[in-house]
Every structure is written in structure tokens, then in C-alpha cells.
Amino acid sequence: MDTIIAEATRGDRVESRHAGSAVVVDAAGRVVFALGDAERPTYPRSAVKSFLALPLVESGAAARLGLGDEELALACASHTGEPAHVAAASRMLARAGRDAACLECGVHWPVDDGAARALAGTGRGPSALHNNCSGKHAGFICLACDQGQDSTGYIHPEHPIMREVTAALADVTGAPHGPDNRGIDGCSIPTYAIPLRALAHGFARFGSGVGLGAERARAAARLRAAVAAAPFMVGGTNRFDTVLMQALGPAVFSKMGAEGIMAAALPEQGLGIAVKCHDGAPRAAEVAMAALLIRFLGPENRDNMVLAGLTRHSMRNWNGMIVGEVRAAFA
């Protein structure tokens, strides 16, 4: 039977309910909390971008190319296509001697409405730099160029860069990543269905360094520090990950994925959290994640007003009237 993780109200009634699964795992792989089926294979989608960025850092490529906090945070990002994001992606490519023509992520309008309207007002259309995954893809190109490889076709499973970053995924999560569980993500790179428990375990290891080699653990710490220093780059205006990490800093490393995926690392507690809303609704995954963070963070963070606010989303109609809310469905 499906477990309800979030509900939407209208007036004094529950109007809709979202089923899903959630799991909290420590760095040793022990499940300390679970709702629903934690072993159900799930595509993590963009939640694992930080894992994909590990080879960029641990190889020394990021340092040799002079990539700073903003660029490394963008390599982990699902950004909104605002000017700062576009500029950082362009800088990454320039450091590798490349430009937007090398990106193979596809083109879409900025996710942020204001950025999209501003761009349209110039009479120009979007480029691949506006794609929410352009930072991740720029990171792949930087890694390829640093290794002296041709980046063309880097999105394909057999490309050396994609093999390298896929191996990092398998190492951090402890789950197999092969043809049998492979799909294609929205930005055209492979995505692999793994148990939700494995995703949470990967975040526990990414946050603590436990179970990772020394170089990989240092790379994970560098990426966490970059995102804590530049949380706007990993999301954007009013995005859950950005708002959360602006409020809590290095206490939480959070990353959303498409189709109702949320994952987070709690470095001080050595825990990883993963949430999947089965109908793909991000609103449900976000409030469920916020509720779990309140439960498992240390007492110095539990009373954070921003975090508390993320557990409930007011719903307004077109006249701005509050008509209901979306809230976590478990204590």
C-alpha cells in the first residue's frame, strides 16, 4: 500500500494526497527511518549531479582550470537560467577554451519567469547556456579538455568521460549502474534506476566522507563547501535548495531531481535522506524533505524559521487570497 507523504488542503478539508517513499540512512548503510518502499528502483535524475562532479575535482582539473565556488556549485546545479548562472557556465567553458557550441544538453527557456521575460524582451532566444543542466555539462567538457580528450559525444554511455562519472555514481551509492537499469535524462545523459535507500546512502557518504577513498572524500568536501558558499548557483531565486542552504549553510547539502525526487546530506549527523513522490510532484517531495530535516538535524537548526516555513506551502488564488496549503503528512 502506498504511503502518503504530503497533502494539499482547501478550506478545512484535504483536497489531494501525494503518495511516496522516504528513507534516512547513515554512512554505514543502516536505515534509521523509512516510509514506503525504500528498495523501489528510482531514477535519481538531477539529485546526483554532485556525485557526477566528483571526478572534475578529484582529478585536479577544477584546480588547474581555476574553477571557483560559483563554477563548482553550478556543476552541481539545476539552475533557473538567470544571468549569474549563464555567466558562470560561460566562464567554465572559456577556462577550457570552449564555448556554448560544445554543450550537448539541449536548449530551453530559463526556468525563472523573470529571466525568461527579460531574455524575450531583448528579442533573443535562449541558448544551451540557459539549460538548467548547463553547469553539469560544462563540467564534463572541462574534465574532457583537461584530460586531452575530444568532448564530442560526451553524453553517450560509452564516452570515456561518461564512463568515468558513471563509475563515480556506482562507487558513492554502492548500486550497479549498467545497461539493465539505464534510461536517458532530460539533458540526454544516462540516468540509472537505483533503490531509494542506495541514493540516501550515497548522500550520507558524500556528506561524511565515510566509505569513500581519501581523494574522493576531499573532493566531496570541496563541492559541499562550494555550494555552501554559493547556494544561489545550485538553484536560483525562490528555489528550495537555494533557500534551504542560504538559511542553513553547510549543515545541509540538498539537491532536487525531476519527477519528485529530493535528496540531502547532513554532514554533522552522518546521515543521508532521499524522498520520492510517486506522482512526480516536487511540491510534495519538498515539504516531506523539510519535515525530515527538522526531525534529524541537530537542535541548533531545528528551530530555524526558514526551514519550518518550507514544511508548509501556502496556496494562493489569482487574487492573492490564501485558499489552502501543501504540507507534510507525517509528524
Side-chain angles (χ1 to χ4, degrees):
M1 182 176 180
D2 282 343
T3 300
I4 303 302
I5 62 170
E7 54 194 17
T9 67
R10 188 169 299 270
D12 59 358
R13 295 178 180 273
V14 174
E15 183 176 35
S16 301
R17 292 182 173 89
H18 296 280
S21 301
V23 62
V24 183
V25 179
D26 68 16
R30 291 184 291 263
V31 175
V32 299
F33 175 88
L35 289 172
D37 185 2
E39 297 300 326
R40 178 174 175 171
T42 301
Y43 290 113
R45 306 291 296 275
S46 289
V48 293
K49 283 179 175 175
S50 57
F51 301 173
L52 293 167
L54 286 167
L56 175 66
V57 177
E58 66 190 7
S59 68
R64 285 189 289 271
L65 293 173
L67 302 183
D69 289 339
E70 290 191 349
E71 292 83 13
L72 290 177
L74 197 76
C76 302
S78 296
H79 65 75
T80 47
E82 295 173 74
H85 302 126
V86 173
S90 184
R91 285 197 305 271
M92 293 175 72
L93 293 168
R95 298 279 172 82
R98 299 293 186 269
D99 59 25
C102 296
L103 292 171
E104 299 180 11
C105 52
V107 176
H108 63 68
W109 284 90
V111 173
D112 179 74
D113 288 342
R117 287 194 297 269
L119 180 60
T122 69
R124 296 182 289 112
S127 74
L129 292 170
H130 296 93
N131 187 302
N132 78 96
C133 295
S134 66
K136 173 181 71 178
H137 283 248
F140 295 153
I141 292 169
C142 284
L143 181 59
C145 292
D146 182 74
Q147 293 182 358
Q149 297 184 27
D150 182 0
S151 67
T152 303
Y154 66 85
I155 61 174
H156 300 300
E158 63 275 8
H159 192 281
I161 292 301
M162 198 51 57
R163 290 203 303 266
E164 185 172 355
V165 299
T166 300
L169 289 177
D171 176 61
V172 176
T173 63
H177 287 62
D180 291 344
N181 62 333
R182 186 168 65 212
I184 300 175
D185 213 330
C187 66
S188 298
I189 72 164
T191 183
Y192 297 85
I194 62 172
L196 199 66
R197 174 196 50 76
L199 177 61
H201 188 199
F203 269 78
R205 298 174 77 189
F206 180 83
S208 66
V210 174
L212 304 180
E215 288 298 325
R216 183 146 290 172
R218 281 192 285 270
R222 176 68 186 99
L223 290 170
R224 296 197 315 272
V227 169
F232 178 80
M233 303 308 294
V234 84
T237 301
N238 295 326
R239 300 286 277 186
F240 180 93
D241 293 330
T242 289
V243 172
L244 177 68
M245 291 188 285
Q246 283 175 337
L248 294 178
V252 176
F253 181 96
S254 171
K255 187 67 190 70
M256 56 76 66
E259 295 298 324
I261 281 282
M262 285 295 309
L266 281 59
E268 294 177 8
Q269 289 75 25
L271 298 175
I273 305 175
V275 176
K276 168 65 177 177
C277 177
H278 293 164
D279 64 11
R283 70 180 191 177
E286 289 174 359
V287 296
M289 174 59 77
L292 288 169
L293 290 173
I294 284 178
R295 179 167 181 168
F296 286 98
L297 276 171
E300 67 276 12
N301 293 307
R302 287 180 187 146
D303 295 330
N304 185 282
M305 294 302 294
V306 173
L307 177 57
L310 291 173
T311 66
R312 311 174 87 94
H313 292 180
S314 293
M315 294 195 297
R316 297 177 181 269
N317 66 12
W318 294 110
N319 280 325
M321 299 167 58
I322 295 177
V323 297
E325 67 177 8
V326 181
R327 64 196 183 195
F330 55 92

